[in-house]
Amino acid sequence: MTRNAVVPLGYAPGLPSPVSSLEQYVRAVRSIPPLSAEEERELARRWRLERDLEAARRLVLAHLRYVVAIARQYFGYGLPEADLIQEGNVGLMKAVRRFDETRGVRLVTFAVHWIKAEIHEFIVRNWRLVKIATTKAQRKLFFNLRRLKGSSNALQPAEARAIADELGVKPEEVLEMEARFAGAEVPLEAPTGESEEDALPAPIAYLPDPGATPEEAVLEAEAHWLADEGLRAALARLDARSADIVRRRWLAEEPETLQALAAEYGVSAERIRQIEAAAIKKLRAWLTQAAGAGVPAHA
């Protein structure tokens, strides 16, 4: 895999990597039998309660076919198909890690979001080495423009306005994204075979240094500390009830409702809201104070 797996995949014996042979890989994953609903629930239960890695591996393997089907929808962006599939596999493994079979939905339904999210991130990071689609609306435009455009002809102003209205962006953004799709690739390195006198400077010659400045490195380290150790230290200063409410309302993957917490603690939902607001005010004050004091030397 291209990144550290959150759930060990451990390809089954004889299953090739998509990088080595995409065709063989597709045939192999299609040969893996799908799981019945009962088998899926049992494997998911074993992973959720016992952290049974073999159960997680079987869940992943049985759903690789769906990753291929989803990744094929993005083959038109000019990126390696094997990389798209591998990124989708990362999303699948993240979905398996978070899947709760007691919710009454099948894993494939739950995993679609995670698979697409990883593929989208990969495309946005790598497509033409240009930063694009930095907002939610622009991402929607990036991944839907070709479908809405419907032809290879240049968009007319009325067509651009119609697409902009549907996707919630400006017509100028639609036209700019269309131009990026149509634009030619520019090599970073200078073409070989040209004399030094005739050759223009290659883009790589004037690209900024991607490395962070010392000031940026300090700020980044401080931000990481505040979001991790700093937050944990600040939460530890709260009383147990306040800390529990903040964690379950703001730090959980699926935030708890005020009503559910009110029923658990035997108070009104308004009281839970007041406790939450007071706790957050204290956390902000402590974290601001910590940021002003600088990151501890051991951070």
Side-chain angles (χ1 to χ4, degrees):
M1 300 299 297
T2 55
R3 281 184 275 161
N4 292 334
V6 292
V7 173
L9 177 56
Y11 287 115
L15 182 63
S17 163
V19 174
S20 60
S21 174
L22 182 59
E23 185 178 345
Q24 291 181 26
Y25 175 82
V26 172
R27 284 202 302 267
V29 298
R30 285 178 177 171
S31 69
I32 301 173
L35 299 171
S36 67
E38 184 177 349
E39 289 173 326
E40 181 178 292
R41 282 194 298 271
E42 175 58 20
L43 290 172
R45 186 198 64 78
R46 283 164 48 191
W47 163 248
R48 182 173 59 85
L49 299 179
E50 305 168 19
R51 282 300 184 254
D52 185 332
L53 293 180
E54 176 59 23
R57 191 181 75 90
R58 288 183 59 190
L59 286 170
V60 170
L61 289 173
H63 288 79
L64 292 176
R65 64 175 66 209
Y66 301 111
V67 175
V68 173
I70 294 171
R72 285 188 182 279
Q73 301 171 20
Y74 302 94
F75 283 3
Y77 289 94
L79 295 172
E81 298 172 3
D83 288 349
L84 292 170
I85 292 173
Q86 292 209 59
E87 292 297 317
N89 287 346
V90 172
L92 171 61
M93 288 185 283
K94 288 184 176 181
V96 168
R97 182 187 181 193
R98 294 165 171 81
F99 183 57
D100 184 348
E101 81 288 352
T102 64
R103 302 279 176 156
V105 298
R106 295 297 298 269
L107 175 56
V108 64
T109 303
F110 178 76
V112 166
H113 162 77
W114 294 95
I115 294 168
K116 287 187 174 181
E118 290 298 318
I119 293 175
H120 285 188
E121 286 295 326
F122 175 73
I123 293 174
V124 169
R125 286 198 314 268
N126 293 278
W127 197 71
R128 304 202 172 190
L129 302 177
V130 178
K131 250 190 176 178
I132 57 172
T134 54
T135 68
K136 185 176 181 180
Q138 288 174 339
R139 285 171 182 256
K140 190 174 181 182
L141 170 61
F142 179 78
F143 289 107
N144 288 276
L145 179 57
R146 286 177 171 171
R147 175 180 59 81
L148 294 174
K149 185 177 176 183
S151 72
S152 59
N153 298 327
L155 284 174
Q156 299 301 312
E159 294 173 319
R161 283 195 298 272
I163 293 175
D165 290 342
E166 181 171 345
L167 298 179
V169 297
K170 298 177 181 178
E172 305 86 71
E173 292 179 294
V174 174
L175 295 173
E176 180 184 359
M177 191 65 72
E178 180 194 28
R180 290 187 175 183
F181 275 123
E185 301 283 353
V186 178
L188 286 177
E189 301 285 356
T192 57
E194 294 187 6
S195 65
E196 293 185 5
E197 292 80 8
D198 296 334
L200 294 173
I204 199 169
Y206 47 79
L207 284 177
D209 185 355
T213 64
E215 294 81 4
E216 291 170 339
V218 170
L219 290 174
E220 183 178 358
E222 179 179 310
H224 281 303
W225 183 85
L226 288 173
D228 187 11
E229 294 183 38
L231 181 57
R232 281 202 300 271
L235 282 169
R237 299 176 68 175
L238 294 173
D239 62 88
R241 181 172 66 172
S242 297
D244 181 57
I245 290 172
V246 170
R247 287 192 183 95
R248 293 166 67 180
R249 289 278 294 156
W250 292 91
L251 304 178
E253 292 181 3
E254 296 187 8
E256 199 69 77
T257 65
L258 292 173
Q259 290 75 15
L261 289 169
E264 181 176 331
Y265 281 104
V267 296
S268 66
E270 175 60 21
R271 180 55 184 153
I272 294 294
R273 189 196 64 76
Q274 293 171 356
I275 295 172
E276 176 187 29
I280 290 175
K281 184 176 180 180
K282 291 178 182 178
L283 288 175
R284 284 175 176 163
W286 290 333
L287 290 174
T288 300
Q289 183 181 3
V295 179
H298 66 274

